Every structure is written in structure tokens, then in C-alpha cells.
Amino acid sequence: GVPARAEGILEFALESDSPICGEYTLEFDEAGNYSPAPRLDLKREPSDFQKGVGSYLGGYIAKEWESANKGETLNGAGCTFGAERLEKALRLPDVPQQETANDCGFFILAQILLILQLTPEGLRTLAGASTDMLSSLPWPTQKEVTRRKARLRQAVLSLFAAAEEML
């Protein structure tokens, strides 16, 4: 290869079950032709944007908590929810990612359905779990989400067909 300068954006397309965090090496042409090979190191640290979202949601939850618990105490102490609590609890586990531009809502729905099956004690355990433990859980995959999407589509079509028959 001939050394050159290229400007632009470099995108990495990872499979949905690839770990999000880790070190990746970009190899193009034949391995070893370019030295040093470009490397990408993705860390398990929240970005400024993620921290901002955590802070915003934490503030919202704190206001809701305060509104719902006016004048109540817990074991003789005031009930407060510090806005920073959510930001500190932020975890970035390696979980399957969507492979399409339009499956985000279906991934969220699948994760919510899993969480709704937990007991209150199970949910508390999940909330305190380490990032590595969260990464090891059986999260929905792209294949499962695609299957659920097809079943939901069929259910909606059946509902529309039944409604049409009633008219």
C-alpha cells in the first residue's frame, strides 16, 4: 500500500451479539500491510451524553418521588431520592444490539417484558447487579426480536380481520 491521508467518518458494524466494550483492530487489505493497524478501544464508561440523560432522569424521578411521598418517613427518616443516585447506578453491560434501524422499540419491549416477570426481590437484585453479571443474562437477541415482531404483526392483522368481520 501507499501511505495516504483520508478524511471522513469510520464506522464499525458489529454483529448484534458482539461485545460492545473491548478492543477492536481494523484490518483492511491483507493483514499486516498497514502498521500500526487502526485500533478502537471501547470502554465501559458513560459518555457525557449518557451522564446527562442519567442526571435528567434522576432529577425527574426525584421530583416524582418527592411529590408522591410528601410528609412520609421511612424508619423515622425522611424519604428522599437524590437526583445523582440514577447517574451513579448507570451500568453499560454488553447486551445484544439491534441490527436494523427500526428495531429499537422491539428490543425495549422485549426487555420490559422480561423485567415485568421478575419478583420485587428479583428486580432489587437486578438493580444492584454488577455490569459483568448483567452482561451474562439471557438478553433478547436480534433473531428473537425478529420472531416476536412477526408474531405481533400477525396478532394485529388477526385483530383487524376480526374487527372487519364484526362490521
Side-chain angles (χ1 to χ4, degrees):
V2 177
R5 179 185 170 124
E7 291 186 29
I9 297 172
L10 182 62
E11 293 184 21
F12 284 81
L14 302 173
E15 296 294 323
S16 68
D17 56 354
S18 297
I20 301 304
C21 301
E23 190 174 291
Y24 296 91
T25 303
L26 174 65
E27 292 182 358
F28 50 96
D29 196 24
E30 293 180 26
N33 267 0
Y34 293 90
S35 182
R39 297 164 68 103
L40 178 64
D41 187 16
L42 300 174
K43 299 189 183 315
R44 250 189 245 274
E45 298 169 3
S47 66
D48 289 339
F49 176 76
Q50 290 167 322
K51 288 178 186 177
V53 169
S55 178
Y56 176 79
L57 290 175
Y60 171 77
I61 292 171
K63 290 286 185 191
E64 288 293 317
W65 182 272
E66 182 181 308
S67 174
N69 295 294
K70 284 193 175 171
E72 292 185 28
T73 61
L74 181 63
N75 297 331
C79 292
T80 60
F81 183 98
E84 69 285 346
R85 187 173 174 184
L86 189 64
E87 186 181 334
K88 289 179 183 175
L90 183 64
R91 305 283 187 274
L92 300 172
D94 285 324
V95 298
Q97 304 292 307
Q98 67 191 55
E99 293 177 9
T100 65
N102 58 356
D103 281 345
C104 178
F106 291 99
F107 266 85
I108 297 297
L109 176 63
Q111 293 169 0
I112 289 171
L113 290 172
L114 288 173
I115 288 172
L116 287 174
Q117 296 175 45
L118 294 174
T119 64
E121 184 58 36
L123 188 56
R124 279 190 281 279
T125 300
L126 183 64
S130 70
T131 302
D132 288 335
M133 182 180 169
L134 291 173
S135 295
S136 70
L137 294 174
W139 295 99
T141 64
Q142 180 69 49
K143 187 176 182 178
E144 292 166 342
V145 166
T146 301
R147 195 175 318 123
R148 181 180 302 274
K149 215 164 97 169
R151 289 194 324 245
L152 286 170
R153 183 176 189 275
Q154 188 57 46
V156 169
L157 289 174
S158 297
L159 288 171
F160 277 111
E164 187 70 30
E165 287 177 16
M166 294 176 72
L167 295 177

